[in-house]
């Protein structure tokens, strides 16, 4: 449910780095949790993509997101 709500909000908060940073970080965590629980590689890829997006937004979530990108890249080979 978190995934759906936050994805729907993205177009409305585009341009607001504070909100986009929080939303993309939380989307990353939500997709990672769901992907690992169900062994769904598409959701893990989505998590990686959201963390990458968040890591490119200056702010308090940037470092955590960048670290998550590194961790996922090491744990799951083939992420793009």
């Amino acid at each position: 449910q978190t995934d759906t709500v936050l994805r729907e909000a993205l177009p409305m908060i585009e341009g607001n780095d504070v909100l986009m940073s929080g939303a993309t970080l939380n989307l990353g965590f939500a997709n990672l949790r769901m992907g690992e629980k169900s062994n769904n590689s598409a959701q893990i890829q989505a998590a990686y993509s959201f963390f990458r997006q968040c890591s490119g937004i200056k702010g308090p979530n940037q470092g955590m997101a960048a670290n998550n990108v590194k961790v996922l890249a090491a744990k799951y080979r083939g992420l793009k």
Side-chain angles (χ1 to χ4, degrees):
Q1 194 172 29
T2 300
D3 179 64
T4 303
V5 171
L6 287 174
R7 283 178 188 259
E8 289 174 355
L10 288 179
M12 293 178 269
I13 62 173
E14 195 170 334
N16 184 325
D17 285 350
V18 172
L19 294 177
M20 282 296 286
S21 175
T24 53
L25 183 70
N26 283 297
L27 277 162
F29 283 126
N31 278 277
L32 180 60
R33 193 172 307 118
M34 291 185 299
E36 287 183 336
K37 188 174 183 176
S38 63
N39 199 28
N40 184 320
S41 61
Q43 286 178 315
I44 294 169
Q45 176 63 57
Y48 181 77
S49 296
F50 283 121
F51 287 138
R52 281 191 56 198
Q53 184 178 355
C54 182
S55 72
I57 302 171
K58 291 188 191 299
N61 298 320
Q62 189 174 25
M64 183 185 309
N67 185 60
N68 290 338
V69 168
K70 289 178 189 173
V71 168
L72 289 180
K75 187 173 181 179
Y76 301 101
R77 304 288 181 205
L79 294 174
K80 299 174 187 172

